[in-house]
Amino acid sequence: MAAVGGAAGAAAAANEQEEETRWLEAMGLHAGAAGRAEELIEEFLEANNQLDGAHAAQVLNRMAYFFEEEELRFRTQHPDLFSRERESFPIWDMLEAAVRPGTHSFLQDVFSAVEQRRDDVLQAAAGRFLAAAGPGLANVPSLQHSHFMELLTNDSMEDKIFKWVDEAKLPMCCYGAGLLSFALLDDACADETVRRNL
């Protein structure tokens, strides 16, 4: 009987240790994801400040891929776009890095890149990043207080989105459609979409 009790205790201890190991691995994954996002943000800001559009576009494409992968990892378990469970996944730390006070210029610079017309490659990379990170950015810290939503629904940006969707020119019509799906969460934008019959 004592042997059975001892075996059960050992199994419980092993399970506890395994759970702790998983938790520590997850914490390491979170820290690694946030650190990688911060590095890429700094690299983009530096390239953008030096007017190196090719390098800035390259960084944004890497960031888009990184955010797409982590968002997919989250959405396979939580299909609801507005789920607060995102906070338990590495994607949340990456999103927080993108909107952390002092890095607001990052989002503003990405929106400026997507609105400009002189560099098609940079514009497409910015559109891809915003569409990839949009599901999370729309919810950080909440839908009502999202800096991303504020930038997305200003008049000049909305006009650009409507134009991209209406012109149906690749790749911006695809990214524009993705961004419009978030902008429609704003009542004024939803009304304007209906008025334009888009």
Side-chain angles (χ1 to χ4, degrees):
M1 205 57 175
V4 172
N15 283 343
E16 196 174 303
Q17 188 172 4
E18 192 177 309
E19 210 166 292
E20 188 175 321
T21 302
R22 273 200 305 267
W23 181 80
L24 288 169
E25 283 173 354
M27 291 306 290
L29 189 58
H30 280 233
R36 183 72 181 121
E38 285 167 4
E39 285 172 14
L40 289 168
I41 287 166
E42 286 303 315
E43 191 177 345
F44 166 76
L45 289 172
E46 187 177 337
N48 202 46
N49 288 339
Q50 292 174 358
L51 303 178
D52 185 349
H55 187 193
Q58 201 174 53
V59 175
L60 284 177
N61 277 319
R62 290 205 310 264
M63 288 185 75
Y65 176 77
F66 188 31
F67 274 78
E68 286 161 0
E69 288 290 299
E70 290 302 329
E71 182 67 19
L72 180 62
R73 188 194 305 264
F74 162 70
R75 295 288 281 282
T76 52
Q77 294 184 45
H78 302 279
D80 179 9
L81 176 67
F82 301 105
S83 171
R84 294 301 294 180
E85 296 299 321
R86 198 180 261 104
E87 294 178 21
S88 305
F89 286 75
I91 187 70
W92 187 259
D93 301 300
M94 293 160 56
L95 294 164
E96 284 195 320
V99 298
R100 189 168 292 135
T103 59
H104 270 192
S105 67
F106 166 68
L107 270 188
Q108 288 164 342
D109 283 3
V110 176
F111 271 95
S112 294
V114 84
E115 286 192 78
Q116 58 80 34
R117 289 183 296 180
R118 68 186 178 281
D119 186 335
D120 290 347
V121 175
L122 179 58
Q123 183 184 51
R128 180 185 174 194
F129 170 76
L130 290 172
L137 288 173
N139 291 291
V140 177
S142 67
L143 184 60
Q144 292 75 23
H145 301 99
S146 165
H147 186 55
F148 168 80
M149 289 299 292
E150 183 185 321
L151 292 168
L152 184 65
T153 55
N154 76 51
D155 291 345
S156 67
M157 186 63 198
E158 281 185 4
D159 286 342
K160 290 278 192 323
I161 292 171
F162 292 140
K163 182 171 177 264
W164 295 328
V165 171
D166 197 37
E167 285 182 349
K169 182 180 172 189
L170 291 171
M172 291 313 296
C173 68
C174 296
Y175 301 139
L179 293 173
L180 181 60
S181 68
F182 304 124
L184 287 173
L185 296 168
D186 178 74
D187 290 342
C189 180
D191 291 344
E192 182 63 15
T193 305
V194 170
R195 191 186 72 75
R196 293 182 183 228
N197 198 30
L198 285 177

